[in-house]
Amino acid sequence: MAEFSVLTVCTGNICRSPMAEQILRARLADLPELEFSSAGTYAGDGDVMPEQAAALSLRHGGDPTSHRARYLTEPILGSADLVLGMSRNHRREIVELLPKKISVTFTLREFARLSADVTDGEIRHAASMGLTVKASLAEVVALVASRKGQFGLVTSAEDDDVVDPYKRSDETYERSAQQLVPAAEQVARVLRVAVEASRA
């Protein structure tokens, strides 16, 4: 049974956030403690993924077939334990919608950047502080969040964004995936180590 919910957020919920959701779900499919979903700050409920986005998700192991867009609401956001926006604008909109989520809201690439040199041992140690899976993962998210002050701003603020490929060229879709997929892989590493440590 899922204990920890990860929500990915973009604008239309048809390109970036569903791709991130699907890749995370595929990489961590063997961990039933985790639940993944996505939503959009300007989504049309029921919209499907463009062909290019669906193809990219498939290529990287995701399953786009059942995805339908949904509009980000306070109840959806309220149930999430970790929120990953695809850009700094999404991060701002998320926190404006529900300010109490500020400590668990990052951009996808920001979370990946902040956790990149956090060792598996450090993740396991943080996870050991929680008495449940949910609490263990909350400790790990807090560890990553605590690094915001240590590392300051990136050289270019856009380095924490995933470029929006919607209605743009195939090359832009490829560039978006090149930014998104490695970041999702890094998030998956952190979550996997944390869940496995919480079981010990």
Side-chain angles (χ1 to χ4, degrees), residues 5-6 8 21 35-36 46 57-58 73 76 91 94 105 109 113 118 124 131 143 147 151 159 161 175 181 183 193 198:
S5 173
V6 181
T8 60
E21 171 199 358
E35 176 181 75
F36 300 97
S57 182
L58 275 170
T73 62
I76 290 171
R91 185 182 61 197
I94 290 159
T105 299
R109 294 180 75 193
R113 172 174 62 84
V118 177
R124 283 191 287 266
L131 297 177
L143 169 66
R147 299 169 68 82
F151 291 90
D159 289 348
D161 292 358
R175 183 158 61 93
V181 175
V193 174
S198 74

Side-chain angles (χ1 to χ4, degrees), residues 1-8 20-22 24-26 28-38 70 75-84 133-134 137 187 191 195:
M1 178 180 169
E3 296 185 48
F4 190 86
S5 173
V6 181
L7 175 69
T8 60
E21 171 199 358
Q22 291 156 18
L24 287 168
R25 181 181 291 116
L28 301 168
D30 59 321
L31 303 180
E33 296 92 337
L34 299 174
E35 176 181 75
F36 300 97
S37 62
S38 62
R70 61 179 185 161
I76 290 171
L77 188 53
S79 65
D81 299 300
L82 172 62
V83 189
L84 301 170
V133 172
K134 190 181 186 80
L137 270 75
V187 172
L191 293 176
V195 169

Side-chain angles (χ1 to χ4, degrees), residues 7-24 37-41 49 67 70 84-86 90 162 180:
L7 175 69
T8 60
V9 176
C10 68
T11 304
N13 191 214
I14 53 173
C15 293
R16 292 169 290 174
S17 60
M19 188 169 164
E21 171 199 358
Q22 291 156 18
I23 289 171
L24 287 168
S37 62
S38 62
T41 59
M49 295 175 74
H67 178 76
R70 61 179 185 161
L84 301 170
M86 296 300 115
H90 298 131
V162 174
L180 187 152

Side-chain angles (χ1 to χ4, degrees), residues 46-68:
D47 287 351
V48 298
M49 295 175 74
E51 185 179 321
Q52 301 102 310
L56 280 170
S57 182
L58 275 170
R59 196 168 90 205
H60 292 284
D63 179 5
T65 51
S66 63
H67 178 76
R68 298 296 180 269

Side-chain angles (χ1 to χ4, degrees), residues 64-183:
T65 51
S66 63
H67 178 76
R68 298 296 180 269
R70 61 179 185 161
Y71 180 71
L72 180 66
T73 62
E74 194 171 316
I76 290 171
L77 188 53
S79 65
D81 299 300
L82 172 62
V83 189
L84 301 170
M86 296 300 115
S87 74
R88 288 161 297 121
N89 281 339
H90 298 131
R91 185 182 61 197
R92 175 182 52 76
E93 291 177 88
I94 290 159
V95 173
E96 286 176 354
L97 179 60
L98 200 56
K100 70 178 183 179
K101 291 294 179 180
I102 189 169
S103 63
V104 298
T105 299
F106 307 77
T107 77
L108 178 75
R109 294 180 75 193
E110 177 190 24
F111 189 98
R113 172 174 62 84
L114 292 172
S115 62
D117 61 352
V118 177
T119 67
D120 288 2
E122 289 172 313
I123 296 168
R124 283 191 287 266
H125 176 72
S128 72
M129 308 295 284
L131 297 177
T132 63
V133 172
K134 190 181 186 80
S136 293
L137 270 75
E139 292 286 349
V140 172
V141 170
L143 169 66
V144 177
S146 73
R147 299 169 68 82
K148 289 183 181 181
Q150 301 173 42
F151 291 90
L153 296 172
V154 287
T155 305
S156 169
E158 285 71 27
D159 289 348
D160 276 347
D161 292 358
V162 174
V163 67
D164 185 0
Y166 183 56
K167 289 189 175 179
R168 297 173 72 181
S169 65
D170 288 348
E171 290 77 12
T172 306
Y173 272 93
E174 289 290 345
R175 183 158 61 93
S176 183
Q178 287 166 10
Q179 296 171 342
L180 187 152
V181 175

